[in-house]
Amino acid sequence: MKLVSDATWYWFLVFLVASISIGWPTVDVVRLRKFFRRPPEERTHDELFGMIMGLLLAGVGGIGLLKHFMGW
Amino acid sequence: MGPVFNPANAVTASRYLTLPAFLYHYDKGNIQVAALVILLCAVIDLFDGAVARIFKCSSGFGELFDAITDGICYSFFLIVPALYGQVSWIPVAVILGAGVVNSLFRAIYAKRAGRATNYRSYAMERCVAYVAYTTGAVVTGFESAYFVWTCAGFILFILAHDAKRMLVDPVPA
């Protein structure tokens, strides 16, 4: 059972992956900026580590997308 | 702590309904529908926190239940393609093993705290989102090997980081 054609499905996936690869780091960058605006005593190591990991994961996701298109 | 039976936990529990639907459609080769079922499960996950805030029924149990549900649902979405030979068992086993060890550490943390509480790991929250992303990649065959191996590496790294905090560091009151 196919809901849409293969081509439509492919571009839906590309759009979804691209949206996440762009949206995810954007959210983490905004959070990171807010984090550094807070007083040092309100910042936690766990939050910072989480945001750095989030950015790394988003980067890895973006590389996956590039890998797909560049045929690496 | 709020009651166990509340709207937020009902939303979380409803995610289990996606599991048989996923298995059925994956088995029938309806990959598009199976992938949308994963997406639905991930979208429902976004709402339980909001429902808890609206109905003012946030609880330590709810957070724990949400974390356990994440583990069970995303594990299921990875195990099924591995059983059908669509992805290597090794990274899937690493991700599942890390999930089990993480749950064990969280149980130890809750025992140390003396209450049903969830260890909040910002990094693991993002990693769980990446696992959800990976399940979608695996089911649709979108660079599945790349995503599943990178996911396995990240989850091990983050688990190693969180282990000390859950097992050794003092539990906040």
Side-chain angles (χ1 to χ4, degrees):
Chain A
M1 183 172 74
K2 284 185 180 176
L3 300 172
V4 292
S5 69
D6 286 342
T8 308
W9 178 247
Y10 174 77
W11 285 109
F12 168 72
L13 287 183
V14 169
F15 175 76
L16 194 66
V17 173
S19 305
I20 295 169
S21 298
I22 295 165
W24 185 330
T26 306
V27 168
D28 265 332
V29 165
V30 170
R31 283 182 180 167
L32 208 54
R33 286 186 64 188
K34 284 183 182 169
F35 175 83
F36 283 113
R37 282 182 190 155
R38 283 174 9 210
E41 61 273 12
E42 286 180 21
R43 300 177 199 164
T44 65
H45 164 84
D46 278 343
E47 269 184 282
L48 181 61
F49 180 71
M51 284 182 276
I52 291 170
M53 282 295 112
L55 286 171
L56 281 175
L57 285 166
V60 167
I63 291 170
L65 191 65
L66 287 175
K67 183 178 181 298
H68 182 75
F69 279 108
M70 304 291 184
W72 297 337
Chain B
M1 193 175 108
V4 170
F5 297 101
N6 61 44
N9 290 345
V11 171
T12 303
S14 70
R15 295 172 65 199
Y16 289 102
L17 297 174
T18 61
L19 303 186
F22 170 78
L23 182 60
Y24 174 81
H25 287 290
Y26 192 85
D27 182 62
K28 298 284 178 194
N30 303 333
I31 298 304
Q32 294 182 0
V33 183
L36 288 177
V37 168
I38 294 177
L39 194 60
L40 177 67
C41 184
V43 169
I44 295 172
D45 190 24
L46 298 175
F47 288 106
D48 50 9
V51 170
R53 283 187 291 276
I54 291 167
F55 288 94
K56 296 184 173 53
C57 55
S58 301
S59 66
F61 173 81
E63 284 181 30
L64 203 57
F65 184 46
D66 185 39
I68 291 167
T69 304
D70 280 342
I72 291 173
C73 290
Y74 297 133
S75 298
F76 188 82
F77 297 147
L78 278 178
I79 288 171
V80 172
L83 282 173
Y84 281 76
Q86 197 176 333
V87 66
S88 166
W89 262 109
I90 300 169
V92 171
V94 168
I95 295 167
L96 298 182
V100 170
V101 171
N102 189 38
S103 301
L104 186 69
F105 286 175
R106 279 165 192 263
I108 293 170
Y109 181 79
K111 196 172 179 184
R112 288 177 66 215
R115 61 188 190 276
T117 185
N118 186 37
Y119 170 79
R120 179 148 196 214
S121 165
Y122 294 88
M124 195 55 89
E125 281 173 11
R126 284 158 176 81
C127 198
V128 169
Y130 193 73
V131 172
Y133 189 80
T134 300
T135 59
V138 167
V139 168
T140 56
F142 194 94
E143 299 294 338
S144 50
Y146 170 83
F147 281 110
V148 79
W149 276 107
T150 52
C151 185
F154 268 106
I155 201 166
L156 282 181
F157 181 69
I158 293 169
L159 181 63
H161 170 270
D162 288 351
K164 177 182 170 287
R165 294 182 178 265
M166 285 190 275
L167 303 179
V168 180
D169 289 356
V171 180

